Amino acid sequence: MPVRRSKVLLVKWIFENQHKLQTIRWCSSSLRYKELEETSTQGQLEQEPPINASIPGVKPRPQITPEISFKHDDLQVTLAAPYQLQRKPDAIDLGFGKYFTDHMLKIQYEKQLGGWQKPEITPFEPLRIHPAAKALHYAIQLFEGFKAYRGVDDKIRLFRPDLNMERMNLAAARSGLPMFDGYELIKCIKRLIQIDQEWVPHSETSTLYIRPSLIGTEATFGIMAPESALLFVIMSPVSAYYKASSDGAVSIYADPSVVRAFPGGVGNRKVGSNYGPTIDTTARAATMGHHQVLWLFGPNHELTEVGAMNIFMVYINEHGEKQLSTPPLNGLILPGVTRRSILELASQWEDLTVKEEVMTMEQVIMLNNSGRLLEMFGSGTAVVISPISRVGFVDKEIFIPTMKQPQPVFQRVKDTLLAIQYGHIEHPYAVVIS
């Protein structure tokens, strides 16, 4: 009886003094992670060099990882029971984002408990979230998207996931959400893929789409950085994103009366608030026979993005050279991973001039009327490359000869990217999952 009474008193004391213990836990957690980082930094530098270190022309990126982060070594795994496993759909039925794998990754952040908690892989399940969570009221949330590809050698590859982690941390900093070590998250995601590896399609027309998301979960009203958050990763086998025309190209509508982003905003960050407000305009474009919206900005009608893609144009410049152009990273557009890869790869092709420049609708019309506009296409993780054959603008229909080129640049770009992603050629962009 005395033993039982002492346990009761201990529990009561802990409950009454838990605020003190949280401070102690935060301090011990900080020291632990600092010790782990100091002992493992040298080993990481030797074993895990930056993925882009050997790529010519790639500039080093600023250090944006925080001092304290969750660790892959702390990952806890709970496998789904047999009755929780789902039937895998046929490739022809996939669509985009309709089916989800058997497991998910979850990492809680609690400021009062020292920050990031241990990552865990669990059976796929609905989230439990408080109705007052800041993500639901103030759009304090962000997401990323990249893919796992099953190669010709049956190895599974990721395509430059470090760039997605960098972009995700930048969006977190802008949104008041906690940052993390991107390489630790990549390692956790690799483990998740290993567990659900049979969900990676055995096809070169389908992939496994990976969706990391970070949401503010603190259950209080008020526009301020949340003290609790949830980072979770779900995965979906997918096929084509857009339904194109019979020739494989899409038609886009340029509406000068609406904008997607503005200077000083968050058009260059992957936050949900950039996408929801585009639905109405996209739906109106569809009623006019277009697949997507070409977003313009300013009195000169500058081209920014097309749908959720970066946009490219191929034309004959004033020097008689074939030139590949895309709008610059001026804060209005998302720094796409595919966009960056295209610029880096194409800049090594001697028969093509590559340039980032402001592009306007006036320029598009002038080049098209003079016969110098050859191609337009969009790029992105979901679509890879999407050729454009028609642009609706005010009362004009501009027909682009993208699909009439004998050796189109868009096809060369697409073939090169797919060859890397599916392992037809060895390249440092591709990260193999062992």
Side-chain angles (χ1 to χ4, degrees):
M1 183 67 70
V3 173
R4 182 179 179 184
R5 179 175 177 79
S6 64
K7 287 184 176 179
V8 171
L9 291 173
L10 177 61
V11 171
K12 182 178 179 181
W13 185 89
I14 291 174
F15 180 79
E16 292 175 346
N17 294 273
Q18 56 182 316
H19 61 288
K20 299 177 182 177
L21 292 176
Q22 289 170 355
T23 303
I24 294 172
R25 178 174 176 179
W26 186 90
C27 293
S28 63
S29 177
S30 300
L31 291 171
R32 175 175 174 273
Y33 282 131
K34 185 175 182 180
E35 180 182 356
L36 284 172
E37 287 180 351
E38 289 175 349
T39 57
S40 64
T41 297
Q42 185 61 37
Q44 287 179 354
L45 289 174
E46 294 175 358
Q47 299 174 13
E48 295 188 39
I51 294 174
N52 290 323
S54 60
I55 302 173
V58 178
K59 298 178 181 179
R61 300 187 306 279
Q63 177 61 263
I64 57 172
T65 53
E67 181 180 355
I68 301 175
S69 176
F70 52 82
K71 301 292 180 181
H72 167 262
D73 290 343
D74 294 329
L75 179 64
Q76 300 173 337
V77 177
T78 303
L79 297 178
Y83 72 88
Q84 294 175 299
L85 301 178
Q86 306 172 71
R87 184 187 67 84
K88 297 173 181 62
D90 295 330
I92 58 173
D93 298 326
L94 286 179
F96 197 92
K98 293 165 55 179
Y99 302 95
F100 299 92
T101 66
D102 296 316
H103 297 85
M104 64 189 298
L105 171 68
K106 293 187 289 188
I107 313 170
Q108 300 282 350
Y109 175 89
E110 294 291 342
K111 184 176 180 180
Q112 294 300 316
L113 296 179
W116 287 109
Q117 306 301 295
K118 292 181 179 180
E120 54 178 341
I121 291 175
T122 68
F124 188 92
E125 61 184 357
L127 297 178
R128 297 184 63 183
I129 186 169
H130 195 284
K134 292 185 183 296
L136 301 178
H137 298 269
Y138 309 115
I140 300 180
Q141 59 88 248
L142 57 95
F143 66 96
E144 266 301 329
F146 56 103
K147 290 178 177 178
Y149 308 81
R150 188 178 296 277
V152 291
D153 52 3
D154 205 40
K155 293 180 180 178
I156 299 173
R157 292 171 171 80
L158 302 176
F159 186 77
R160 311 188 76 175
D162 57 315
L163 298 185
N164 295 95
M165 298 299 100
E166 176 188 343
R167 194 169 64 181
M168 194 171 179
N169 265 315
L170 290 172
R174 180 63 191 266
S175 303
L177 288 163
M179 298 170 69
F180 55 89
D181 187 325
Y183 286 100
E184 294 297 327
L185 181 55
I186 290 173
K187 288 189 285 186
C188 290
I189 291 174
K190 284 182 178 180
R191 181 65 183 127
L192 178 64
I193 296 170
Q194 288 172 338
I195 292 172
D196 280 344
Q197 61 183 285
E198 282 308 310
W199 283 88
V200 183
H202 294 257
S203 166
E204 290 195 26
T205 59
S206 304
T207 56
L208 183 68
Y209 188 80
I210 303 162
R211 171 54 61 85
S213 301
L214 179 56
I215 62 174
T217 56
E218 182 183 345
T220 59
F221 292 148
I223 305 175
M224 60 190 72
E227 294 194 353
S228 61
L230 173 65
L231 195 165
F232 63 94
V233 181
I234 56 178
M235 305 189 298
S236 172
V238 299
S239 56
Y241 187 70
Y242 291 132
K243 290 184 178 180
S245 303
S246 58
D247 62 357
V250 296
S251 174
I252 59 178
Y253 181 67
D255 186 349
S257 67
V258 293
V259 295
R260 173 192 169 273
F262 50 88
V266 290
N268 58 347
R269 299 289 174 254
K270 207 167 181 68
V271 295
S273 55
N274 280 340
Y275 297 89
T278 69
I279 293 174
D280 177 65
T281 305
T282 304
R284 284 193 285 110
T287 63
M288 295 182 282
H290 300 285
H291 298 92
Q292 276 298 327
V293 173
L294 173 58
W295 300 99
L296 307 176
F297 177 79
N300 295 329
H301 301 149
E302 297 177 20
L303 281 62
T304 60
E305 291 192 3
V306 54
M309 302 182 289
N310 294 122
I311 190 165
F312 286 82
M313 185 165 64
V314 181
Y315 66 95
I316 304 299
N317 64 21
E318 62 274 15
H319 304 295
E321 303 165 336
K322 184 181 289 188
Q323 179 168 313
L324 174 67
S325 291
T326 193
L329 297 180
N330 55 10
L332 297 177
I333 67 173
L334 191 72
V337 175
T338 307
R339 172 192 180 277
R340 174 169 169 171
S341 302
I342 293 170
L343 292 175
E344 292 174 358
L345 291 168
S347 64
Q348 301 174 35
W349 300 342
E350 296 181 357
D351 58 339
L352 193 65
T353 298
V354 179
K355 188 175 182 180
E356 295 178 79
E357 63 176 348
V358 173
M359 298 154 48
T360 66
M361 282 306 303
E362 181 182 6
Q363 181 187 18
V364 170
I365 294 170
M366 181 272 292
L367 289 171
N368 197 54
N369 289 342
S370 63
R372 293 165 53 199
L373 180 57
L374 305 180
E375 304 173 42
M376 291 182 73
F377 62 88
S379 73
T381 297
V383 300
V384 188
I385 300 295
S386 184
I388 298 167
S389 60
R390 182 166 65 106
V391 180
F393 176 61
V394 192
D395 57 349
K396 299 180 178 66
E397 290 290 335
I398 307 168
F399 293 92
I400 313 298
T402 305
M403 308 306 291
K404 297 179 180 180
Q405 303 305 314
Q407 294 179 316
V409 172
F410 85 83
Q411 192 64 56
R412 182 180 179 185
V413 168
K414 183 176 182 179
D415 291 344
T416 304
L417 290 171
L418 293 178
I420 295 171
Q421 292 164 348
Y422 286 99
H424 291 279
I425 59 176
E426 293 295 326
H427 200 281
Y429 287 175
V431 180
V432 178
I433 299 178
S434 58

